[in-house]
Amino acid sequence: MKFGYFDDSNREYVITTPRTPYPWINYLGTQGFFSLISNTAGGYSFYKDARLRRITRYRYNNVPIDMGGRYFYINDNGTIWNPGWSPVKTELDSYECRHGMGYTIIKGKKNDLSAEVTFFVPQDYDGEVQQVVLKNEGSNEKTFSLFSFAEWCLWDAQDDCTNFQRNFSTGRVEVKDSTIYHKTEYRDRRDHFAFYTVNDTIDGYDTDRDSFIGLYNGFHNPQAVEAGKANNSFADGWSPVASHYKKITLAPGETKTLVFILGYVEMPVDKKFEADGKTINKEKALAMIEQYNTPEKVAAGLAGLKAYWDKLLGILSVDTPDDKVNRMVNIWNQYQCMVTFNLSRSASYFESGIGRGMGFRDSNQDVLGFVHQIPDRARERIIDIASTQFPDGGCYHQYQPLTKKGNADIGGDFSDDPLWLILSVSAYIKETGDWSILDEMVPYDNDMSIAQPMLEHLKVSFYHIVNNLGPHGLPLAMRADWNDCVNLSCFSDTPGESFQTYTNPKFAAEGGYSKIAESVMVATLFTYTGPNYVSILKHLGKDDEAAKAQAEIDKMKKNIMDSAWDGNWFLRAYDANGEKMGSKECEEGQIFIEPQGFAIMSDIDADATKKTLAAIDERLNTKHGLVLNNPAFTKYYIQYGEISTYPGGYKENAGIFTHNNAWIICAAAYAGEGDQAFKYYSEIAPAFTEETSDLHKTEPYVYGQMIGGKDAGADIGQTGKNFGQGKNSWLTGTAAWNMVAISQYILGIAADFDGLRIDPSIPAAWDGLKAKREFRGATYDIKVSNPNHVCKGVKSVTVDGNAIEGNILPAFGDGKTHSVEVVMG
Ligand code: GLC
Ligand code: GLC
């Protein structure tokens, strides 16, 4: 069952009923000001940091689930409704929500009155613009009242939902003309305020929540709206809100357009106030309001936003025989990659924005998905991340975006972290050819006095693995590797301990974690990423160092075959007792997904590759994607940690963790199994799940972190319950990795150190594909034909009519368009 449809020409998903199986959301903003908006206008806004600079309030895990947002209420002679249906939930005569690239349009109609609201954050602007177009579509004059509504958050989102003894006494506002200013704590230590304004006169306002809503009412029946009139209330302590009230009369056919702006302003300390020392100096706010106070300016802002996305999405576009692939690659997957770039894992309907900063591993992997779109910002991001590394190559696991400092509460010792830096730096160089990033002086632990060139950071990353090996010559697992829930040094038997940050005191003497537990996943990640480091050294003429690094990679491959090959697949780990994890010898959790793909792509052993791909298909694949492990754990294994705490079929315990599905898609494509790769791709790609949105539940235009696996429900004797149900949509490394999988491995268009590599691994049934790719200052018009219907193999390549050797297109850098013909066979 579907709840809408894709409008590809407008790059929109059009939702046709407000009753989606979960709030289906969009993100507004690309630089500093961000908003989340659901298909009923629920959600919230923040500036840069979802925790430390939260502007509007949102209550997570609410009942009903999506309550609180920026709401417009209409009281039309006693019929009260919202253009987005919720929160009043009056049945509308028509409803539509269009989520587009950085904007959302919600349109509702009731009793011949239509209201269309366009929400967006313009480029270079710290505010959300909301344009409301009201139209009398009937034949009689209509008089009704309109109320806007936003609820201020008291800035620090964590504090906002805990420290009530203080919070209830701090709220402060100012009202001037049609603008409501939120200035809680502005008098003291904050140099920022927010405002909510409308470009017209108003008939009243409310700024105190209890006056507007009423203590015994809710968002669904605010007493001011029911009364049809505002109270002109003034918040003083308690809970500040912002609501404008306007009485409107429309002749038949007449339209009224109002532009609301929710803005954020930072002020220099000496200019915060007017001469009286207490009234906000509104100069900057008024200038901001001036920027979008007419429909014409709004139209120009929207056009600017569209141009921005045209540019970003114009860098890579494809035309394959499958519309769903085109829609994912050309629009939604790239869009989601930009959202994960901007938001990391901070704020979604599943991430409250208060728990985590930017992850070292997550943000490095995100780079892989967006580096072609905004290479400059990728460079900046990589440097920010690398600045939180320690001199020995270990890393802070997270940092806060506002301070860019490593998060000491979480600390380091996640065994995979350093390797992702090698991958992101390599991806950046491959895309741009900008080798100068390696010379950039980058601090350790944010301390510029011990800065070293980025190349040195790569070296310590590489050797951090080499210097931390266990008894089988495999990397120590430490607190966790990529899988946060494989905690081999934890042995936790006490509620409340964090599986990731708690390490059992029995390992204290050994430096905090087991010196026996080893991660095969990190071993294969090392043999997969290591060759990038070797290529970089060779390019720099450092042949001795390259040979030394290559020897370490070769040695690791040997150790993997000697100690981590289980006969049909690769082991997952050795636990702290020296026992195999992820072996046919285990009772549960006999095979795990994580090491397999990287092992295949490391060319460790051709026979092992074949057997592994077969085992994956047999043991892990389902119609909804590949489960993480099999069989699921049905009891708690103290030596494994969190992974065995989830009911089978969910999250890391045999859920379909879509992030690492991509590694297998890449690996199958790499191994020439284009059909197998595409099968796995289409099992999880959102556009392919659209038809079963009632089961899948999350948005059909973006990936989620997880899909319920085949073991879901087994614990309660209902095997298959929730199998196929999506969870945790939007902020996931799945976006970047599936972008890599489809564009680089399946469609086979991949930036490489020496040029643009074309090496498709597609379904044999395809006749070919076309693509347009901007790369290092030239445009490549690529046509691939597949006359013999193979999955993989390039027979010939011509560029502008001339045959070239091999399949790497040179970087022309001449600003011209080059036509490329590739024949497979
Ligand atoms: C989440 C985390 C990521 C981790 C993964 C597996 O996606 O953000 O860091 O690798 O879970 O546990
Ligand atoms: C991290 C991981 C998530 C995991 C959680 C466990 O947040 O990203 O996947 O389940 O830790 O606490």
Side-chain angles (χ1 to χ4, degrees):
M1 189 182 164
K2 301 203 296 177
F3 297 83
Y5 59 92
F6 286 96
D7 177 349
D8 293 338
S9 59
N10 285 311
R11 298 193 188 122
E12 291 172 341
Y13 193 80
V14 187
I15 300 166
T16 50
T17 166
R19 290 179 176 87
T20 45
Y22 208 77
W24 282 4
I25 75 159
N26 195 11
Y27 284 86
L28 314 178
T30 57
Q31 290 136 319
F33 190 102
F34 293 98
S35 298
L36 286 77
I37 181 165
S38 74
N39 58 308
T40 60
Y44 56 95
S45 304
F46 60 91
Y47 179 74
K48 281 194 183 163
D49 191 312
R51 170 171 172 181
L52 300 177
R53 213 46 63 84
R54 186 78 64 97
I55 296 169
T56 55
R57 182 174 285 157
Y58 190 76
R59 295 170 185 79
Y60 277 92
N61 195 10
N62 212 339
V63 181
I65 191 82
D66 185 27
M67 253 316 121
R70 69 294 269 158
Y71 292 133
F72 291 98
Y73 295 90
I74 291 167
N75 184 338
D76 178 5
N77 290 300
T79 303
I80 297 174
W81 58 283
N82 309 104
W85 178 64
S86 189
V88 175
K89 298 203 197 86
T90 297
E91 281 314 312
L92 299 178
D93 298 337
S94 72
Y95 161 91
E96 183 184 89
C97 168
R98 289 180 171 262
H99 284 317
M101 305 288 104
Y103 66 89
T104 287
I105 304 172
I106 295 177
K107 199 170 167 180
K109 187 174 151 188
K110 182 76 187 171
N111 297 345
D112 290 334
L113 179 64
S114 70
E116 176 176 312
V117 192
T118 303
F119 303 88
F120 74 110
V121 174
Q123 289 293 287
D124 303 307
Y125 194 70
D126 293 334
E128 178 181 306
V129 175
Q130 308 162 349
Q131 176 170 269
V132 182
V133 180
L134 299 153
K135 184 169 185 201
N136 180 354
E137 300 194 359
S139 45
N140 298 314
E141 186 181 86
K142 255 186 184 304
T143 297
F144 58 93
S145 40
L146 176 78
F147 297 80
S148 69
F149 177 77
E151 183 179 8
W152 301 117
C153 176
L154 305 181
W155 303 114
D156 178 331
Q158 165 101 354
D159 205 47
D160 186 69
C161 52
T162 47
N163 195 7
F164 302 112
Q165 60 78 29
R166 170 175 162 80
N167 294 347
F168 287 156
S169 300
T170 58
R172 311 184 88 216
V173 296
E174 221 175 276
V175 181
K176 176 97 183 16
D177 303 325
S178 298
T179 306
I180 297 160
Y181 295 87
H182 176 223
K183 60 170 191 179
T184 301
E185 292 188 349
Y186 187 66
R187 184 175 70 182
D188 18 292
R189 294 172 301 176
R190 292 189 181 276
D191 307 329
H192 44 263
F193 63 87
F195 66 85
Y196 195 31
T197 190
V198 58
N199 68 338
D200 205 342
T201 56
I202 52 176
D203 297 305
Y205 58 85
D206 271 300
T207 70
D208 168 59
R209 192 180 71 205
D210 288 347
S211 306
F212 178 73
I213 290 184
L215 192 54
Y216 299 102
N217 297 38
F219 291 127
H220 66 291
N221 62 350
Q223 68 185 14
V225 179
E226 289 197 330
K229 179 161 147 314
N231 307 290
N232 295 348
S233 63
F234 227 89
D236 185 34
W238 298 106
S239 298
V241 300
S243 171
H244 305 91
Y245 156 64
K246 187 163 177 69
K247 261 200 137 34
I248 299 171
T249 299
L250 292 179
E254 195 188 351
T255 292
K256 169 103 190 147
T257 301
L258 293 166
V259 184
F260 292 82
I261 300 171
L262 179 72
Y264 168 83
V265 182
E266 287 182 351
M267 296 297 288
V269 180
D270 57 339
K271 299 222 168 73
K272 282 171 69 173
F273 299 104
E274 288 179 3
D276 67 0
K278 55 183 188 188
T279 309
I280 298 180
N281 170 357
K282 306 188 177 63
E283 231 171 84
K284 260 178 107 176
L286 293 175
M288 258 184 91
I289 293 170
E290 184 70 27
Q291 276 183 273
Y292 287 101
N293 59 352
T294 68
E296 293 71 30
K297 292 177 187 174
V298 169
L302 277 167
L305 188 63
K306 182 166 185 305
Y308 171 78
W309 283 105
D310 281 348
K311 181 168 174 294
L312 290 191
L313 300 177
I315 291 161
L316 168 66
S317 62
V318 302
D319 178 7
T320 78
D322 193 318
D323 283 348
K324 297 191 176 97
V325 172
N326 301 342
R327 151 181 313 156
M328 288 311 310
V329 176
N330 297 341
I331 307 172
W332 292 100
N333 199 169
Q334 293 202 68
Y335 183 60
Q336 187 178 3
C337 286
M338 283 302 296
V339 171
T340 56
F341 157 68
N342 281 316
L343 281 295
S344 185
R345 306 295 174 271
S346 72
S348 74
Y349 271 35
F350 308 89
E351 303 279 7
S352 62
I354 57 181
R356 300 206 246 174
M358 314 277 286
F360 195 96
R361 78 155 80 92
D362 292 341
S363 297
N364 273 308
Q365 290 174 83
D366 289 347
V367 167
L368 309 179
F370 69 80
V371 64
H372 64 288
Q373 302 187 78
I374 43 164
D376 294 353
R377 296 185 75 191
R379 191 182 204 275
E380 242 173 70
R381 173 64 57 81
I382 293 169
I383 291 169
D384 283 352
I385 302 169
S387 305
T388 65
Q389 189 170 34
F390 299 114
D392 74 347
C395 318
Y396 273 115
H397 194 47
Q398 292 178 6
Y399 69 98
Q400 277 310 121
L402 205 65
T403 61
K404 295 190 176 174
K405 293 255 161 56
N407 186 337
D409 294 348
I410 312 239
D413 292 336
F414 290 77
S415 51
D416 61 320
D417 274 338
L419 290 174
W420 302 112
L421 181 66
I422 297 180
L423 212 53
S424 69
V425 172
S426 306
Y428 170 76
I429 298 173
K430 288 176 182 177
E431 180 62 37
T432 57
D434 170 18
W435 294 84
S436 77
I437 189 172
L438 297 170
D439 303 325
E440 189 78 36
M441 291 301 281
V442 180
Y444 288 115
D445 198 359
N446 285 102
D447 180 352
M448 208 53 206
S449 73
I450 48 170
Q452 286 287 330
M454 181 66 97
L455 181 64
E456 191 62 26
H457 282 257
L458 300 192
K459 182 174 180 182
V460 295
S461 296
F462 184 89
Y463 286 99
H464 191 259
I465 307 299
V466 174
N467 295 336
N468 288 284
L469 301 177
H472 300 89
L474 301 169
L476 292 174
M478 305 187 176
R479 282 177 166 168
D481 56 30
W482 170 87
N483 189 328
D484 272 334
C485 302
V486 174
N487 319 111
L488 304 180
S489 295
C490 188
F491 290 82
S492 175
D493 56 9
T494 304
E497 283 165 354
S498 156
F499 283 103
Q500 276 99 60
T501 56
Y502 175 78
T503 44
N504 199 285
K506 71 180 177 182
F507 300 117
E510 301 175 42
Y513 47 83
S514 161
K515 294 282 158 62
I516 301 287
E518 297 166 291
S519 165
V520 179
M521 188 262 164
V522 175
T524 60
L525 184 63
F526 176 77
T527 56
Y528 172 74
T529 51
N532 288 288
Y533 177 57
V534 172
S535 298
I536 288 172
L537 292 171
K538 283 190 182 152
H539 176 93
L540 299 175
K542 298 181 184 283
D543 291 343
D544 291 352
E545 272 190 64
K548 194 175 148 224
Q550 185 60 49
E552 295 295 348
I553 297 170
D554 295 340
K555 195 155 71 186
M556 187 71 78
K557 287 188 182 181
K558 181 169 183 314
N559 296 346
I560 292 171
M561 277 323 282
D562 287 351
S563 306
W565 173 245
D566 200 45
N568 283 302
W569 57 78
F570 294 89
L571 298 179
R572 176 64 178 85
Y574 282 94
D575 67 22
N577 303 319
E579 304 285 338
K580 293 175 184 170
M581 179 185 193
S583 160
K584 57 180 179 292
E585 295 162 20
C586 300
E587 192 191 332
E588 298 182 328
Q590 295 172 335
I591 170 171
F592 282 74
I593 201 168
E594 298 104 319
Q596 320 300 341
F598 293 125
I600 291 169
M601 292 188 281
S602 302
D603 291 319
I604 296 182
D605 182 280
D607 183 53
T609 288
K610 262 207 200 86
K611 288 184 169 143
T612 302
L613 280 173
I616 288 169
D617 208 49
E618 186 189 325
R619 300 288 298 263
L620 302 180
N621 190 40
T622 75
K623 61 181 174 181
H624 297 301
L626 301 157
V627 297
L628 190 144
N629 55 297
N630 177 259
F633 296 111
T634 59
K635 43 191 182 209
Y636 180 45
Y637 293 78
I638 196 167
Q639 70 275 31
Y640 294 165
E642 181 171 353
I643 187 164
S644 57
T645 65
Y646 293 105
Y650 299 120
K651 282 205 33 98
E652 283 89 335
N653 184 14
I656 295 162
F657 220 84
T658 46
H659 183 140
N660 53 34
N661 276 225
W663 300 339
I664 304 300
I665 300 169
C666 293
Y670 180 83
E673 303 295 336
D675 282 312
Q676 190 176 357
F678 193 76
K679 176 172 80 171
Y680 300 154
Y681 174 76
S682 54
E683 282 164 1
I684 59 165
F688 291 81
T689 66
E690 189 198 13
E691 294 289 342
T692 51
S693 288
D694 45 336
L695 167 68
H696 195 70
K697 289 195 165 38
T698 51
E699 298 92 333
Y701 40 91
V702 290
Y703 285 97
Q705 179 202 60
M706 205 273 285
I707 297 171
K710 60 185 172 181
D711 304 283
D715 282 14
I716 52 166
Q718 294 180 30
T719 306
K721 182 182 160 70
N722 300 334
F723 174 35
Q725 179 180 327
K727 295 238 174 107
N728 300 13
S729 57
W730 280 101
L731 302 185
T732 160
T734 308
W737 271 105
N738 277 280
M739 189 65 206
V740 169
I742 185 67
S743 61
Q744 300 182 25
Y745 284 85
I746 294 182
L747 305 182
I749 302 166
D752 211 329
F753 290 114
D754 304 319
L756 190 63
R757 181 189 300 275
I758 311 291
D759 194 9
S761 188
I762 54 178
W766 283 13
D767 291 330
L769 61 108
K770 288 189 199 143
K772 190 188 132 236
R773 176 71 151 89
E774 285 172 19
F775 175 70
R776 299 195 204 166
T779 303
Y780 298 75
D781 234 320
I782 304 162
K783 185 165 175 266
V784 177
S785 49
N786 186 19
N788 298 324
H789 290 276
V790 296
C791 284
K792 193 174 184 188
V794 168
K795 206 161 72 181
S796 68
V797 180
T798 61
V799 179
D800 299 324
N802 304 315
I804 65 160
E805 273 298 301
N807 60 350
I808 299 191
L809 310 176
F812 292 109
D814 56 6
K816 296 196 180 130
T817 298
H818 299 273
S819 106
V820 180
E821 304 248 352
V822 178
V823 180
M824 295 176 68

